[in-house]
Amino acid sequence: MTASPSTSAAPETALLPPVSFDTMMTGGREAVETWFQINRAVVDAAGRIAQEYGRFVMGRLNDDFASQKQLSACRTPVDFIEMANGFAQKAVRDYMDEATRLTALATEAFSAAAVTPAPSAARRQAAD
């Protein structure tokens, strides 16, 4: 049997070029600034979505209470069917409209979070 050559010393390869401390800190600061910008966009959007959904729920509850009054005013089966049909049609329209509004708000949120932030002053200065 022949012995295979010994490879005790692995070749040295640099995975990353040397980076100065100032460069690392600038990059870290930019990452944090980017994170804050994304986070701010998401939190703002979540607030708008919650506000919109709260408005919708209150409106639907008011409609539900109004329909209870209408139900008590029904005197014939035809009155009841007409009232129930109108209520159901309006509810479906309301829920579809709300889904559209919430989708638009969510799309705005993702778009705002996906925007590449402008370079920081330190990065602009380093580029000059």
Side-chain angles (χ1 to χ4, degrees):
M1 274 213 275
T2 57
S4 62
S6 173
T7 56
S8 61
E12 291 186 31
T13 57
L15 297 176
L16 296 173
V19 179
S20 73
F21 180 76
D22 289 338
T23 301
M24 285 191 322
M25 293 309 294
T26 300
R29 182 175 46 250
E30 288 180 4
V32 169
E33 288 173 0
T34 300
W35 176 253
F36 283 151
Q37 288 177 357
I38 291 169
N39 207 21
R40 184 178 314 115
V42 169
V43 169
D44 288 347
R48 287 192 308 276
I49 289 169
Q51 187 175 28
E52 170 57 32
Y53 191 66
R55 183 208 57 78
F56 170 73
V57 169
M58 289 303 298
R60 285 302 314 151
L61 285 173
N62 287 334
D63 287 350
D64 291 350
F65 291 135
S67 70
Q68 293 299 318
K69 289 180 184 177
Q70 291 173 355
L71 182 63
S72 66
C74 291
R75 298 292 176 231
T76 67
V78 173
D79 291 344
F80 172 77
I81 290 170
E82 288 175 354
M83 189 280 307
N85 188 32
F87 174 80
Q89 287 179 1
K90 183 176 183 327
V92 168
R93 271 193 318 272
D94 288 351
Y95 278 99
M96 294 301 292
D97 291 347
E98 183 63 11
T100 301
R101 281 191 292 274
L102 291 176
T103 300
L105 288 172
T107 300
E108 288 175 21
F110 284 115
S111 296
V115 171
T116 304
S120 68
R123 187 166 150 202
R124 285 191 304 268
Q125 185 179 11
D128 292 339

